[in-house]
Amino acid sequence: MSLLMPAGIGIVVAMVLLASVGATTFRDGNVALLLGYLCVWVPLLVAIGVTAFGVGRAAGEQSGAVRRFLRLSIRPIDLVWGIAVGLLTRTAASLIEIGVYGSMGTTGVSFGETVYDLWWLFGALLAPVLLAPLVEELFFRGLVLRAVHSQVVTRGSSGWAGVIAVAVSGLTFALMHLVTIEVGNAQTIVVVGVSTLIFGLAAASISLATGRIGGAIIAHVTFNGLVVVPALLAF
């Protein structure tokens, strides 16, 4: 079974479910928030699980085969790479906002009346700053990047494998973040699309260069945290 099959099915299902939730009106905003995340995380995690089963079986159930395939490891230097990439890509995203909107932070997170309960902890901190970066990096930089790279190498185009894998990983990452944006909202499409594409390409590049996704996870935490934390402090 091609590793691209579960990855492709996972991202398509996630985008369809996410679009469906985005087009539905919910009385409870917390329910909408939770469903929005689950519609992305569940298909992506299932795709990772299916791949893990296939890789483990192909390796004769060798311990660590899946972890090695996903490059799921982190070293101290990954903190440096990750924070640097997160800062640089968030700066680029802010400059794009200024260029399109005339001001920075137009697409940032904002909080209304705050109720310090589990819903708030999940929606304000855990989901965007910790859980989403981990799940999305496991999928886009762990599964998609490696699956595409392996497929291209298998087809005898090893010289282009890195470039193609980084491009596919970055583009699919950006497309997923555009699903819930209204088609007529051209400015937001440009800002979100270009910003997430830049980050996706950068995260894929450091993952491919280091052979690990640790740096990409740290970069994603930094990239998202630089939007969420200032909004919380401003509140």
Side-chain angles (χ1 to χ4, degrees):
M1 177 184 68
S2 171
L3 296 176
L4 288 176
M5 184 178 296
I9 294 175
I11 187 62
V12 170
V13 171
M15 292 173 69
V16 170
L17 292 177
L18 190 58
S20 300
V21 170
T24 305
T25 302
F26 295 89
R27 292 183 178 181
D28 191 335
N30 291 326
V31 173
L33 176 69
L34 179 60
L35 285 176
Y37 279 115
L38 290 179
C39 284
V40 174
W41 295 346
V42 171
L44 301 193
L45 288 173
V46 169
I48 293 171
V50 171
T51 303
F53 176 79
V55 171
R57 186 173 61 178
E61 304 298 333
Q62 294 179 2
S63 176
V66 176
R67 180 180 57 81
R68 288 194 297 271
F69 173 76
L70 295 176
R71 304 299 194 272
L72 183 55
S73 63
I74 185 169
R75 297 179 182 176
I77 190 63
D78 293 329
L79 292 171
V80 177
W81 279 108
I83 292 173
V85 169
L87 287 170
L88 288 172
T89 51
R90 177 49 64 191
T91 299
S94 297
L95 292 175
I96 293 169
E97 289 181 6
I98 293 173
V100 175
Y101 295 122
S103 62
M104 187 178 69
T106 307
T107 60
V109 175
S110 60
F111 297 95
E113 183 179 354
T114 302
V115 178
Y116 295 99
D117 56 11
L118 292 178
W119 282 113
W120 179 88
L121 181 63
F122 173 80
L125 292 175
L126 290 180
V129 181
L130 296 177
L131 298 178
L134 177 60
V135 174
E136 292 176 14
E137 291 309 314
L138 278 171
F139 181 80
F140 289 103
R141 258 61 72 178
L143 175 55
V144 174
L145 181 71
R146 306 301 166 182
V148 173
H149 189 275
S150 298
Q151 186 71 19
V152 176
V153 170
T154 300
R155 293 180 176 273
S157 301
S158 57
W160 289 94
V163 175
I164 295 173
V166 168
V168 172
S169 176
L171 284 170
T172 52
F173 178 77
L175 285 173
M176 190 188 72
H177 287 79
L178 292 174
V179 170
T180 58
I181 299 176
E182 296 181 5
V183 177
N185 197 340
Q187 287 185 322
T188 303
I189 290 175
V190 170
V191 171
V192 175
V194 176
S195 297
T196 52
L197 177 60
I198 290 174
F199 174 79
L201 294 174
S205 296
I206 62 172
S207 178
L208 194 64
T210 62
R212 301 179 298 276
I213 65 171
I217 293 173
I218 298 299
H220 204 149
V221 170
T222 304
F223 185 79
N224 287 3
L226 287 173
V227 173
V228 173
V229 173
L232 290 172
L233 294 176
F235 178 81

